Amino acid sequence: MTYDIIMIGAGVAGLAAASELQSQGKKVLVIDKGRGVGGRMATRRVGPLRMDHGAQFITLRDSRFESKIAPLLTSGELFPWSHGFPLWRDGSISPRPDGHPRFALRSGMSALPKFLAQGLEILLGDAATAVSREGVDEWQVELAGGARHCAKTLLINMPPAQLLPLVGDFLDVETRQKISVIEMDPTWVVFGEVDQDPDFGGVALEFEGHPVLRFIARDHTRRSPGHSPALVVHCHERWSRENLEATATTVVSIVSQELERLFQVRFKSEPEVHRWKFATPLTSLGELCLWSPELRLGACGDWCAGGRVEGAVLSGWELAKKALCTPLL
Ligand SMILES: Cc1cc2nc3c(=O)[nH]c(=O)nc-3n(C[C@H](O)[C@H](O)[C@H](O)COP(=O)(O)OP(=O)(O)OC[C@H]3O[C@@H](n4cnc5c(N)ncnc54)[C@H](O)[C@@H]3O)c2cc1C
């Protein structure tokens, strides 16, 4: 089957673009290697709990973004979680409200990408391994599972280090160079139920100057009342980079020791651990998306526009707009 558009990557950027394009009558296929949609907006079941081990909150600065997800606000699924997190520095914690709302989702952050994915044709659990051009106006995408799909337009929503091996050969030298200098920090995340609820003076705590820790969320404060205390611990990006190849056991052991030493808190059982190799971009492209009208090839993602969920969505919408404005679609 030939589609108008194939989007590789069902992160929020890819989903935002795909749903906009489909709403304008285009036949769109979204492909993602993950088991679910959302990429780094991720929620995992941990026993009876649902815990957010990727993005922790979203901002709603853009009015179009706010109106798109208004149904989630109206239903109470999306709610203002915090107005600024306290800061840990040299062993003491100080409050730091800035009045700016950070929103979370009651059933987990993955509820947002699931909302954006409604009505889309999405192929999950299969990675795009190669792309090629057939004639002047068709892209072919090969998947690890052996399937092939064709489209007139190919859009990519993947971090730069994954995008370049797939489509780098089709890009001009200047574009390749612009993408290849964008680095992304890794983040180790350890999360699970704990034996007591630490008193941070807020729903989460940011760290400055700690060698291992960067952020701890009291995850249960995002759920309906009555959930037992559970923490999501983000390791510092420098520590995560230096310990990228450490074993999960080592990371859990170091994080557990720090939690006990600083807050006398222990995980109730062996916590979950996740390594995000490409967690947050250090720099961004400085353009909302990449689009080649000649090739009908484009890319979107947080690395184009500010490294956050909201920026990723705006990047996806900009790419959809560019693709729709180019004739022959
Ligand atoms: C630990 C952590 C904490 C964060 N905290 C926040 C926060 O509090 N607030 C905030 O706004 N942002 C936060 N972020 C950043 C936020 O998660 C991202 O900016 C946003 O989710 C990026 O979306 P995206 O669509 O650009 O990319 P992604 O979510 O990375 O989506 C890319 C998709 O491409 C898929 N893919 C990759 N390769 C292939 C392939 N070969 N074939 C098929 N599919 C492929 C992946 O499976 C993935 O689903 C955090 C990120 C991390 C990791």
Side-chain angles (χ1 to χ4, degrees):
M1 145 116 48
T2 300
Y3 292 86
D4 294 324
I5 296 154
I6 290 178
M7 168 66 77
I8 305 177
V12 279
L15 293 170
S19 105
E20 180 62 18
L21 289 160
Q22 185 164 289
S23 76
Q24 298 300 316
K26 304 304 167 199
K27 185 150 183 54
V28 186
L29 174 67
V30 183
I31 297 167
D32 199 290
K33 65 180 182 177
R35 275 184 299 165
V37 297
R40 282 171 277 156
M41 277 204 91
T43 305
R44 193 183 291 177
R45 279 189 190 280
V46 183
L49 310 175
R50 294 175 66 77
M51 299 192 67
D52 294 321
H53 61 293
Q56 297 295 298
F57 61 85
I58 62 165
T59 51
L60 290 182
R61 294 193 175 93
D62 182 85
S63 56
R64 190 173 162 210
F65 184 39
E66 184 170 349
S67 34
K68 173 78 185 176
I69 58 177
L72 293 172
L73 271 172
T74 312
S75 68
E77 169 67 24
L78 184 70
F79 67 100
W81 179 52
S82 170
H83 287 81
F85 309 114
L87 184 70
W88 181 100
R89 191 194 283 133
D90 295 332
S92 42
I93 295 175
S94 35
R96 227 179 17 154
D98 59 12
H100 197 77
R102 283 101 169 142
F103 293 81
L105 289 113
R106 285 264 175 244
S107 57
M109 297 302 271
S110 65
L112 176 59
K114 282 181 190 158
F115 174 79
L116 295 174
Q118 280 169 17
L120 289 173
E121 184 176 345
I122 305 180
L123 213 94
L124 290 170
D126 213 347
T129 50
V131 301
S132 53
R133 264 180 89 67
E134 298 296 315
V136 286
D137 66 351
E138 190 171 277
W139 287 99
Q140 271 202 10
V141 178
E142 278 178 47
L143 303 185
R148 271 168 187 257
H149 295 282
C150 305
K152 292 183 196 121
T153 298
L154 179 63
L155 307 179
I156 315 282
N157 164 219
M158 289 157 62
Q162 294 174 325
L163 173 149
L164 280 173
L166 198 63
V167 294
D169 287 351
F170 298 100
L171 304 172
D172 59 56
V173 178
E174 194 192 330
T175 309
R176 249 195 337 257
Q177 172 66 17
K178 274 199 295 191
I179 301 175
S180 64
V181 295
I182 299 172
E183 276 188 68
M184 294 187 74
D185 270 329
T187 301
W188 274 105
V189 183
V190 178
F191 52 111
E193 232 178 310
V194 285
D195 61 353
Q196 54 171 309
D197 194 1
D199 182 10
F200 295 154
V203 292
L205 183 63
E206 275 184 63
F207 289 79
E208 197 176 278
H210 192 285
V212 180
L213 305 177
R214 167 55 91 196
F215 183 84
I216 304 181
R218 294 167 58 228
D219 196 72
H220 52 288
T221 59
R222 290 188 275 238
R223 311 290 164 243
S224 326
H227 276 74
S228 44
L231 300 183
V232 177
V233 183
H234 288 181
C235 295
H236 195 284
E237 55 275 16
R238 194 179 51 241
W239 189 89
S240 298
R241 190 175 289 280
E242 286 165 4
N243 292 277
L244 198 61
E245 302 306 330
T247 63
T249 316
T250 305
V251 175
V252 165
S253 156
I254 291 170
V255 166
S256 304
Q257 277 170 31
E258 285 306 303
L259 272 188
E260 189 162 353
R261 190 174 70 80
L262 296 176
F263 308 110
Q264 297 73 55
V265 169
R266 284 170 211 85
F267 286 110
K268 277 176 119 173
S269 55
E270 189 64 10
E272 301 280 319
V273 59
H274 189 91
R275 183 187 70 168
W276 294 102
K277 216 167 161 189
F278 308 108
T280 36
L282 283 169
T283 52
S284 62
L285 188 70
E287 298 164 43
L288 274 176
C289 66
L290 280 173
W291 172 242
S292 161
E294 299 78 28
L295 290 175
R296 308 203 58 82
L297 172 66
C300 59
D302 66 340
W303 54 273
C304 298
R308 296 242 151 228
V309 169
E310 191 166 9
V313 169
L314 299 184
S315 169
W317 280 339
E318 182 64 17
L319 182 56
K321 189 166 121 194
K322 290 222 156 97
L324 285 165
C325 285
T326 309
L328 279 178
L329 197 64

